[in-house]
Amino acid sequence: MDEKGLVCGLDFDTGILTNYTDKIERRLKDMKGFFLDEEGADEEVLIYEVFAVSAPKEEGQLSYATTIIYPGKIGQEFFMTKGHYHRKEGAAEVYVCLGGKGILLIQTKDGKVSHIEMEKGTVGYVPPHHAHRTVNVGKDNFVFLAVYPSDAGHDYGEIEEKGFSKIVVEEDSVVDGGVKIKDRPKD
Ligand code: M6P
Ligand code: ZN
């Protein structure tokens, strides 16, 4: 970000934002309990990275971030983000896919899940009051840009406890690339 915070470069191939203000790396060990079957998986494996340009957390300000989700699976589940509701529940978000192949899961408070198939050029909208998670269902990095109110905040609690009502898994029996979105098994 330049000194006035007005401009930033985006590398469309890698998804890296020049002069990002925050970087998050999430390995399996940072996501304990988010995948259903972690047994035998390497807890150091890098699942995704986020490069964010964060404006002050004030009403009216926008922040944005790119996320790179690496290809892979933990058990049958494809690599994915933690997923969150916004702390400020009325805050929406826009996702723009820059590359790769992914699924954007969007869930209401009462657990109804819709999804958007994301590929380069797909723009997805997350309405207020909805949880959202992205999943890499391809063989390459899944890269997207997200724009959100700076004061939206992240609320991971409920997702950490209950997950989404749908999981995205690879199943050999499915014709279309083996990707299946199915009900999360009850514990
Ligand atoms: C997008 C935005 C970020 C978010 C990131 C990773 O870039 O929604 O706000 O942090 O995805 O998602 P999560 O925070 O759920 O791990
Ligand atoms: Zn969000």
Side-chain angles (χ1 to χ4, degrees):
M1 183 70 77
D2 73 326
E3 59 183 352
K4 295 193 192 102
L6 298 181
V7 67
C8 182
L10 165 59
D11 183 325
F12 274 67
D13 295 321
T14 62
I16 294 175
L17 289 165
T18 59
N19 309 319
Y20 56 84
T21 58
D22 309 285
K23 181 182 172 192
I24 301 167
E25 270 186 20
R26 290 227 165 93
R27 297 175 187 276
L28 183 57
K29 66 181 179 191
D30 306 311
M31 298 179 71
K32 285 255 175 276
F34 282 84
F35 291 94
L36 285 177
D37 177 17
E38 293 175 2
E39 201 156 321
D42 173 7
E43 63 167 23
E44 294 296 333
V45 67
L46 183 59
I47 312 268
Y48 63 102
E49 292 181 279
V50 181
F51 296 87
V53 177
S54 304
K57 295 181 175 34
E58 295 161 359
E59 170 102 35
Q61 297 267 17
L62 294 173
S63 291
Y64 52 94
T66 49
T67 301
I68 302 163
I69 309 180
Y70 295 99
K73 285 186 301 171
I74 301 293
Q76 280 194 305
E77 282 178 285
F78 291 100
F79 282 8
M80 63 186 181
T81 58
K82 284 185 168 186
H84 58 272
Y85 288 95
H86 289 149
R87 229 170 260 291
K88 187 174 181 178
E89 297 183 340
E93 186 160 352
V94 171
Y95 277 52
V96 182
C97 181
L98 304 174
K101 205 170 161 244
I103 302 277
L104 168 58
L105 294 176
I106 299 175
Q107 173 170 288
T108 62
K109 277 277 173 199
D110 56 4
K112 287 196 189 65
V113 173
S114 347
H115 74 272
I116 299 173
E117 289 177 14
M118 306 282 289
E119 57 181 25
K120 191 173 181 174
T122 309
V123 181
Y125 180 65
V126 179
H129 304 280
H130 285 68
H132 36 293
R133 161 181 285 165
T134 36
V135 186
N136 185 349
V137 296
K139 297 200 174 0
D140 304 312
N141 293 353
F142 170 43
V143 186
F144 62 90
L145 172 77
V147 184
Y148 46 94
S150 296
D151 57 355
H154 297 84
D155 180 359
Y156 296 107
E158 198 180 311
I159 305 297
E160 189 162 7
E161 210 180 299
K162 298 189 193 153
F164 275 62
S165 339
K166 301 271 185 191
I167 56 172
V168 185
V169 295
E170 183 164 49
E171 281 192 356
D172 293 341
S173 56
V174 182
V175 184
D176 184 18
V179 178
K180 188 160 187 213
I181 301 171
K182 66 177 194 183
D183 289 344
R184 180 183 210 270
K186 306 263 179 281
D187 335 274

